[in-house]
Amino acid sequence: MKKALFFVFALFFIAPQSWADNGYRIEVNLLDFEGDEIYLGYHYGDKQYIKDTVQMSENGNYVFEGEEPLDGGMYLIVLPPDNQFIQVLVDEQQQHFSLSTTTDDPVTNIEIKGSAENQLFYDYMGFLDQKRELATPLQEEMGQEKLSEARKAELQKQLDAITAEVNAYQQEIMKKHTETLTAAIIRSGQELKTPEFTGDKQEYQRWDFFKKHWFDNLNMADPRLLRSPVQFQKVDQYMTKLVAQHPDSLIIGVDRVLKMVEPSQETFQFYLIHFLNVYAKSKIVGMDAVYVHIIEDYYAKGRAPWTEEEQLNKIIDSGRKLAPLLIGKQAPKITMYKKDGSTLGLYDVKSEYTVLFFWDPDCGHCKKSMPDMIKFYNDYKDKGVEVFAVCTKLKDAEAKCWDMIDEKGMDIWINVSDKMLRSRFKQLYDIRTTPQVYVLDKDKKIISKRLGADQLGTVIDNLIQMKKEEKKP
């Protein structure tokens, strides 16, 4: 294993003496460091933040202290200017301790006073360093060419013995110090014991097993894990690698994670905000369904009480506007106006597929995409496709719509506008930027959206092919 991985398996011991009421005091003696100041940082989800900054004291030490106790978790003593760091573990009971070490080999040279948690952690780290020193030359020799099978077997036997020692050490920590953060993190890295799968669905069965049991060795409601590098990594791998990247599956995944962390209010808050931001920013078509679900099932139901009222109302309003525009929903009905003033409703258009295209003559992206739109329509107008192009200009500026239609040769499809906004199309379709494209089926159900003009041909080809497959006996 690489050194970085060893640092992940670490931390924490609950001692009977409590200093929690006296805030925190961490004294650091760095024998080979002469910088003027150092920082106390901490993990928080997928990021690291600075908690405290201290100057060197007269005796050459650095002392972090505060009246309020620290939250439990993994903290980092960060050394400028290279941001080298030394890890320390903070539990909620022992927050007055000291450590002395060197920056060139902090694990070997560390001396700790007043923190059984950090002593446990660094004893473990030192043990791993020793075993790594033994394993590295064996692994290097195993990689050599023309190695005899007998020698390979001997090397593997030695490596297996080292692995067994490491496993035994980990099991001892998890048994004797079961409530420590060290044990929690070691436990999170334990390999899942997968059953034997047979038949022609082994890959699916294995994937399904890992998905169901991914969090078996991790107490997701442990608030300390939010301040460690372990929990977020597990959640991210689950959501991106094990959950099918489809809105329905992702909604189930989000709900599962939030249910597991809910007993820890801070952790619940972190992941609810995290998921909201992820799916609000997603560029993948259809993922706004996850965003709307989070708003409707959590924010709109009072499960985010930390959110200020003004911001909460904005979030809920955003979800309300997007909900009718999700893939699978019926497109909102709008009645628009042609150049001669006659009306034409979106639902009056009879075609296998309707491309609803909102554009603006002053929009640079609209102008750039127009040649692709024209080519697409000419290629697909005989394949059951109609374009319902809505120019978004209002009042006197509407005249620009018809000028550009004539100039660019856009009179090949249906062109409409609504300069007095009688149809409320901007509100109904949440038109804040252009171009906006929706692909509708013959019943005006939304099939796809947020597409570029150059993507439309591929989408329609796939829809036509899917329809052919459905007709096969």
Side-chain angles (χ1 to χ4, degrees):
M1 286 185 283
K2 296 180 180 179
K3 190 168 184 178
L5 295 179
F6 282 95
F7 272 104
V8 170
F9 297 112
L11 310 92
F12 202 106
F13 189 88
I14 302 296
Q17 184 179 11
S18 174
W19 294 91
D21 293 337
N22 298 324
Y24 68 92
R25 188 179 192 279
I26 303 171
E27 184 172 351
V28 181
N29 181 16
L30 300 172
L31 301 176
D32 58 347
F33 182 74
E34 298 180 353
D36 293 332
E37 65 180 15
I38 63 175
Y39 314 122
L40 181 65
Y42 61 98
H43 290 280
Y44 197 73
D46 59 331
K47 296 179 175 61
Q48 295 82 40
Y49 298 92
I50 296 298
K51 173 67 177 179
D52 201 355
T53 302
V54 296
Q55 304 291 320
M56 180 188 290
S57 64
E58 292 182 359
N59 64 4
N61 292 345
Y62 306 85
V63 181
F64 298 103
E65 56 187 338
E67 295 181 358
E68 295 296 325
L70 298 170
D71 295 303
M74 176 182 284
Y75 286 73
L76 310 168
I77 297 171
V78 184
L79 315 178
D82 300 326
N83 291 336
Q84 180 184 356
F85 62 85
I86 300 168
Q87 296 177 103
V88 293
L89 311 177
V90 174
D91 67 48
E92 295 176 351
Q93 304 300 318
Q94 279 187 318
Q95 300 205 2
H96 286 224
F97 61 89
S98 65
L99 63 90
S100 174
T101 191
T102 62
T103 61
D104 62 330
D105 192 353
V107 175
T108 301
N109 298 322
I110 198 163
E111 293 183 8
I112 299 162
K113 294 181 181 179
S115 174
E117 171 57 41
N118 280 287
Q119 192 64 60
L120 175 67
F121 170 58
Y122 275 100
D123 285 348
Y124 176 55
M125 298 289 283
F127 174 81
L128 291 180
D129 272 355
Q130 294 173 12
K131 298 307 172 185
R132 183 173 54 250
E133 288 179 6
L134 295 175
T136 298
L138 301 178
Q139 292 168 334
E140 291 176 350
E141 187 177 352
M142 279 283 282
Q144 295 178 4
E145 296 181 2
K146 299 181 180 179
L147 200 66
S148 68
E149 293 301 319
R151 181 56 179 162
K152 283 184 180 180
E154 176 59 29
L155 291 171
Q156 190 60 56
K157 183 178 179 181
Q158 294 180 52
L159 288 169
D160 289 344
I162 293 172
T163 300
E165 289 184 75
V166 172
N167 289 338
Y169 197 105
Q170 292 174 341
Q171 292 299 322
E172 183 179 15
I173 290 177
M174 289 188 290
K175 182 178 179 180
K176 290 185 177 180
H177 310 287
T178 185
E179 297 302 321
T180 67
L181 187 52
T182 303
I185 294 181
I186 291 175
R187 193 176 295 116
S188 74
Q190 297 295 291
E191 185 176 352
L192 291 173
K193 296 180 179 179
T194 57
E196 291 292 330
F197 297 113
T198 59
D200 57 357
K201 295 184 179 180
Q202 294 182 44
E203 285 298 320
Y204 170 79
Q205 291 172 323
R206 190 173 293 107
W207 165 78
D208 189 56
F209 174 85
F210 274 102
K211 187 175 71 168
K212 289 178 179 177
H213 297 275
W214 187 245
F215 298 105
D216 281 4
N217 295 326
L218 195 68
N219 179 6
M220 294 289 287
D222 185 341
R224 301 169 301 179
L225 294 178
L226 184 59
R227 289 176 176 80
S228 80
V230 171
Q231 187 185 62
F232 185 87
Q233 183 182 42
K234 293 283 285 188
V235 171
D236 186 60
Q237 290 175 337
Y238 172 73
M239 293 299 299
T240 60
K241 305 298 182 184
L242 293 176
V243 176
Q245 299 303 291
H246 182 277
D248 291 344
S249 298
L250 289 167
I251 286 170
I252 294 172
V254 165
D255 287 345
R256 182 186 180 191
V257 171
L258 291 176
K259 183 178 181 180
M260 287 188 292
V261 303
E262 192 164 15
S264 170
Q265 183 176 358
E266 183 184 14
T267 310
F268 177 79
Q269 177 177 337
F270 171 83
Y271 282 104
L272 184 58
I273 294 172
H274 167 71
F275 287 137
L276 182 76
N277 289 333
V278 166
Y279 295 106
K281 298 174 183 177
S282 177
K283 302 299 182 182
I284 302 175
V285 176
M287 292 306 164
D288 51 354
V290 188
Y291 174 71
V292 170
H293 167 77
I294 292 170
I295 293 173
E296 291 181 341
D297 275 40
Y298 295 91
Y299 284 86
K301 292 184 178 180
R303 299 177 70 182
W306 58 83
T307 312
E308 294 183 2
E309 184 176 1
E310 182 179 354
Q311 181 64 19
L312 179 63
N313 290 336
K314 288 181 180 179
I315 292 172
I316 293 174
D317 185 59
S318 174
R320 180 186 59 78
K321 288 178 179 177
L322 287 176
L325 302 174
L326 300 179
I327 290 175
K329 298 283 189 176
Q330 287 294 133
K333 291 184 178 181
I334 50 175
T335 298
M336 308 299 290
Y337 298 85
K338 300 166 73 173
K339 187 177 182 179
D340 62 8
S342 61
T343 60
L344 180 65
L346 172 63
Y347 278 65
D348 295 331
V349 177
K350 306 301 180 185
S351 61
E352 195 68 28
Y353 304 105
T354 302
V355 175
L356 178 57
F357 176 41
F358 294 96
W359 64 281
D360 185 312
D362 292 327
C363 162
H365 289 294
C366 298
K367 294 176 181 178
K368 185 176 180 180
S369 66
M370 208 58 73
D372 288 328
M373 280 296 298
I374 292 172
K375 182 179 186 308
F376 161 75
Y377 183 70
N378 286 328
D379 290 344
Y380 287 86
K381 62 183 178 181
D382 295 328
K383 297 181 180 181
V385 175
E386 186 55 82
V387 172
F388 192 81
V390 178
C391 180
T392 60
K393 284 296 186 187
L394 304 178
K395 299 183 178 179
D396 293 342
E398 183 212 26
K400 292 183 179 181
C401 300
W402 309 111
D403 290 342
M404 184 168 169
I405 289 169
D406 293 336
E407 178 187 340
K408 299 294 184 180
M410 297 165 55
D411 55 349
I412 55 177
W413 53 54
I414 298 171
N415 288 290
V416 293
S417 64
D418 182 6
K419 64 181 182 179
M420 302 308 295
L421 205 58
R422 294 185 180 92
S423 64
R424 298 178 58 249
F425 71 90
K426 287 195 174 186
Q427 291 84 356
L428 291 174
Y429 283 90
D430 195 28
I431 304 299
R432 287 174 285 180
T433 61
T434 53
Q436 293 284 342
V437 175
Y438 291 81
V439 179
L440 316 178
D441 68 9
K442 64 180 180 179
D443 299 316
K444 301 301 180 283
K445 183 179 292 185
I446 300 171
I447 305 173
S448 190
K449 61 181 182 175
R450 292 170 57 184
L451 300 168
D454 58 337
Q455 299 173 298
L456 284 169
T458 301
V459 170
I460 297 299
D461 285 340
N462 289 337
L463 292 171
I464 292 172
Q465 183 60 37
M466 287 171 58
K467 186 158 290 188
K468 288 180 179 179
E469 294 295 329
E470 291 173 358
K471 292 180 179 180
K472 288 183 179 180

